[in-house]
Amino acid sequence: MNDLPMIRSSEVAAAQSSGRPVVALESTIITHGMPYPQNLTVARQVEDDLRAMGVTPATIAVIDGVLHIGLEDETLEALAQARAVSKLSRADLAACLATKGTGATTVAATMIAARLAGIEVFATGGIGGVHRGAEESFDVSADLLELAQTAVTVVAAGAKAILDVAKTLEVLETHGVPVISVGQDSFPAFWSAQSEHKAPLRMDEAETIAEAHLLRQRIGLPGGQLVANPIPQQDEIAAQHLAPIIATAHRDALAHGISGKAVTPYLLQRIFELTDGRSLTANIALVRNNARLAGEIAQALSEKSR
Ligand code: PSU
Ligand code: MN
C-alpha cells in the first residue's frame, strides 16, 4: 500500500500533538473565489483571527502532488498569485496527487482531507449546492454529497444566493445532513443574513453544535453537519438589491456557455464586477465571522475530549 503523500505544517502538527483546537480552511475560495491581492489578505487575516483566539488554522491544498494540511506563508502567497490552478473536488483529489499536480480544494475535497488529518471543524464562505436550472443542467455540487458521508462540521454563511436554495435544502434533507442556523430561524443567504427559507434546525451555542457533532458519532451516523452562520448585519447586502444582479450574472453565464466547474467562479466574479466590489467586502466579512464560530466549536470539542 502506498503511503499517502500528506504533510502537516509545523503549527498544525504541534497543535494536534498537544490536543489543541484546529480549524480547517479551504483553498478554492483563495484561487477561484476572490481576486488577487484581496484573496491573500483575507486568507492571512482569517488565519490570524483563529490564532488570536488560540485556534490553529489548517489551510488545505495540493502542492506538487502532496496534500498539505496547513500552508506555510510563502506557499499561501504562491497559491494566491498562481493562475490556472486546478479546482479539486472529491473526483479530482487522487488524480491530482497521482499526476503530481497542484490544486485548490473545494468544500468537498477539504472535508475529505480534514477528516484524513483528524480535523473535525472547517470554516468556509458558502457551500456549493443545487444550481438554478438544475432540472435541465443536473448541476448539483459534490459538496452536498460530501456532507452526507464525511464527518466534519462545516461552518458556512448558508448557500450562495446564486443557487436554488429551496432545492439545495431538499437535497440536504434527503441525505440526512443536519442544517443548523445559528442565532436565527431563517437559513442565511450568503451575502444576506436572511432568506425566505427556514432552516430545519437552530442552535445558538457553539457548545451545543459540538455536542451534536459528537453525538452523531456516538449514534454511528456517517456525514457531517452544515452550520449556517448569518453574515453580520452591518456587512450584508440586501437580498432585493442583489436579485437583479444575480439574474444578470446568470444570463451572462448562459450567453457565454459557462458550464461545469467554471459556473461558480464565473458567477462570483461577475457579481463582484456588477456590485463594484461590494460582494467581495461582504464575502470577506462573512468568512471571518465563520472562522470565529468554527474556532469556538473546535474549542468546545477539544474541551469535551479532555
Ligand atoms: N464559497 C465562496 N467562494 C468559493 C466557494 C465557496 O465564498 O469560491 C467554492 C467552494 O470551494 C465550493 C465551490 O466548494 O465553490 C463549489 O463549487 P461547485 O459549485 O462547482 O461545486
Ligand atoms: Mn457544479
Side-chain angles (χ1 to χ4, degrees):
M1 187 61 187
N2 286 344
D3 273 345
L4 180 66
M6 177 169 96
I7 55 170
R8 290 172 171 79
S9 65
S10 44
E11 66 173 329
V12 169
Q16 287 192 310
S17 66
S18 54
R20 279 181 281 123
V22 178
V23 165
L25 301 166
E26 60 150 316
S27 46
T28 295
I29 190 170
I30 303 172
T31 55
H32 293 71
M34 294 182 184
Y36 180 81
Q38 290 96 329
N39 60 351
L40 179 60
T41 311
V42 181
R44 285 180 171 149
Q45 206 161 45
V46 168
E47 290 198 346
D48 286 340
D49 289 345
L50 286 166
R51 290 186 189 104
M53 60 193 287
V55 176
T56 301
T59 303
I60 291 174
V62 176
I63 312 287
D64 299 329
V66 177
L67 179 57
H68 285 246
I69 309 296
L71 298 180
E72 308 295 344
D73 193 63
E74 315 81 68
T75 316
L76 190 67
E77 185 167 353
L79 197 67
Q81 287 177 2
R83 306 202 165 260
V85 175
S86 317
K87 172 178 163 186
L88 309 176
S89 190
R90 162 173 276 260
D92 316 295
L93 200 51
C96 186
L97 295 173
T99 57
K100 309 276 185 278
T102 292
T105 50
T106 62
V107 169
T110 305
M111 289 180 74
I112 295 168
R115 195 195 46 91
L116 275 170
I119 301 170
E120 296 181 88
V121 186
F122 161 26
T124 182
I127 57 155
V130 181
H131 278 267
R132 296 189 192 175
E135 59 275 27
E136 282 291 322
S137 68
F138 276 55
D139 190 347
V140 177
S141 177
D143 292 352
L144 301 182
L145 301 180
E146 205 59 56
L147 280 160
Q149 56 188 315
T150 300
V152 172
T153 286
V154 179
V155 182
K160 284 183 225 78
I162 55 176
L163 299 168
D164 187 322
V165 176
K167 289 194 181 73
T168 300
L169 288 170
E170 289 294 347
V171 170
L172 288 166
E173 185 192 348
T174 300
H175 290 278
V177 177
V179 177
I180 305 163
S181 266
V182 180
Q184 64 181 34
D185 293 331
S186 168
F187 182 65
F190 200 66
W191 298 287
S192 320
Q194 309 268 335
S195 74
E196 60 201 10
H197 307 278
K198 191 169 179 284
L201 300 165
R202 172 178 173 166
M203 290 178 193
D204 293 350
E205 307 293 337
E207 211 268 334
T208 321
I209 298 167
E211 187 67 27
H213 174 101
L214 293 173
L215 283 168
R216 282 182 66 83
Q217 293 176 355
R218 288 295 303 274
I219 298 168
L221 292 169
Q225 313 187 99
L226 175 60
V227 177
N229 191 29
I231 183 172
Q233 218 129 58
Q234 70 269 20
D235 300 307
E236 76 164 343
I237 308 178
Q240 321 84 273
H241 177 77
L242 271 178
I245 289 171
I246 290 170
T248 304
H250 272 109
R251 263 198 308 278
D252 294 350
L254 213 59
H256 288 88
I258 309 294
S259 66
K261 279 170 184 280
V263 172
T264 298
Y266 178 89
L267 290 173
L268 290 175
Q269 170 62 25
R270 199 69 193 102
I271 291 166
F272 169 72
E273 292 160 8
L274 292 167
T275 58
D276 294 318
R278 270 191 71 206
S279 66
L280 181 61
T281 313
N283 201 340
I284 293 169
L286 68 85
V287 172
R288 294 183 71 184
N289 190 48
N290 293 345
R292 214 171 301 131
L293 177 59
E296 289 173 13
I297 298 167
Q299 283 170 335
L301 275 177
S302 86
E303 266 156 41
K304 284 173 191 297
S305 61
R306 203 159 283 162

